[in-house]
Amino acid sequence: MSVYEVTVPCFAQMLRALVGFLKKGEARARELGFDPKNLLQSRLAPDMYPLANQVLFACTQAQQAVLRLCQHPLPALEAPGDMEQAYALIERTLHLLSTADRARIDEGAQRQLSIEPPGGMVFDMTGSEYALHWAIPQFYFHLVTAYDILRHNGVPLGKADYVPHMFAYLRKPAA
């Protein structure tokens, strides 16, 4: 499998699932009579980032994977302040993914790159190592945390919401 195959399509399908999580969360909030924006400030523990940041970080990881592997500059992204901003951030990320250059991403898998997260640490690795050991795990960590925050707040999410793309592979029962 190419680095493109294990990143871009997976990020895109899971970001579409994230839109589904947020829409269910928004509907549940309205059903209970409160502003859906409140969900964006929800968190699982006092020292964890809230839902808005989980959406931001999932989008950041997907965008940065494409941009780093293609040797493009990284934009500064901001946490959404309301659901419309959250959907817009995800949509911009999906657009970037849909226009990603497969050949450049796969070429980037062989290049050396460095990532410098906050705290003064620097990680040197190949693009492939970066995709497999940093971008993908970070992306899924923040995506699952967003799911968990919404579940914790009573949003009726289940496995089918997490992997809706799998229904494309569902075998029809024999007649």
Side-chain angles (χ1 to χ4, degrees), residues 1-12 66 69-70 96-107 109 131 136:
M1 286 190 160
S2 73
V3 168
Y4 176 93
E5 289 175 356
V6 299
T7 57
V8 173
C10 297
F11 291 156
V66 169
L69 291 167
C70 291
L96 175 74
L97 295 172
S98 73
T99 60
D101 184 329
R102 181 186 188 122
R104 285 206 61 194
I105 290 172
D106 286 338
E107 288 167 14
I136 292 170

Side-chain angles (χ1 to χ4, degrees), residues 7 11 57 60-62 64-65 68 113-118 121-123 125-142:
T7 57
F11 291 156
F57 298 152
T60 298
Q61 291 303 322
Q64 286 187 3
R68 284 182 197 278
L113 61 81
S114 297
I115 55 171
E116 299 180 31
M121 294 180 286
V122 177
F123 296 94
M125 60 195 89
T126 65
S128 180
E129 292 165 333
Y130 161 74
L132 295 173
H133 303 297
W134 181 267
I136 292 170
Q138 292 289 327
F139 173 83
Y140 281 101
F141 174 86
H142 295 295

Side-chain angles (χ1 to χ4, degrees), residues 31-51:
E31 180 183 305
L32 295 174
F34 67 88
D35 188 341
K37 186 163 94 170
N38 294 343
L39 282 173
L40 290 173
Q41 294 312 309
S42 297
R43 57 185 85 220
L44 292 175
D47 64 342
M48 289 182 73
Y49 286 107
L51 177 60

